[in-house]
Amino acid sequence: MIDASATIHCEDVPWLPLAPKVGVRVLKLDATEGSYTVMIRAEAGGVLPRHRHIGEAEIYMLEGSGAHPQTGAFRPGDFITERAGAIHDPLEFGENTLLLMVSRGPSAFLAPDGSDMVLMDVPMLQGLMQRGAAQAAAQ
């Protein structure tokens, strides 16, 4: 019997740039399912761009409070569910914020006209990880 379990030492996983003042730490990718688990860290003043959830997502708030335009106020310990197809306006972070997100499919960051600009999915996250590893090796 093969044990597919693993312990991930999150502090050893690098933060990668996702948006200005917003970073992502990739914890798990499943290319077959198209799902991923990430931590997202935003500094005060960071903005998560307008986006659409193509797959369902679940978010657990670890640090920081604020108000999301569509889902309402949040604080540490809150659990947020995002349905597939949900469109969210930009989320401005008023304070340092940390969250854990499990996504069962991609999210699309949207252009001003509503078209997909950047797809956050397994291949995009793999590319971020490869660029991050290359930068670390060059230093």
Side-chain angles (χ1 to χ4, degrees), residues 43-58:
E43 298 175 34
V47 177
L48 192 60
R50 184 169 184 253
H51 60 280
R52 176 173 44 89
H53 290 273
I54 297 169
E56 293 181 354
E58 297 173 338

Side-chain angles (χ1 to χ4, degrees), residues 100-124:
L100 175 71
M101 181 172 82
V102 177
S103 186
R104 292 183 184 81
S107 292
F109 294 110
L110 303 175
D113 67 0
S115 63
D116 293 356
M117 189 170 57
V118 174
L119 200 61
M120 185 164 128
D121 60 0
V122 170
M124 179 267 210

Side-chain angles (χ1 to χ4, degrees), residues 64-116:
S65 350
H68 187 285
Q70 279 72 42
T71 60
F74 60 84
R75 62 181 183 262
D78 284 350
F79 181 75
I80 302 163
T81 61
E82 305 285 9
R83 66 173 175 74
I87 296 176
H88 294 139
D89 293 332
L91 174 57
E92 298 180 29
F93 296 96
E95 61 184 67
N96 292 348
T97 303
L98 181 66
L99 60 91
L100 175 71
M101 181 172 82
V102 177
S103 186
R104 292 183 184 81
S107 292
F109 294 110
L110 303 175
D113 67 0
S115 63
D116 293 356

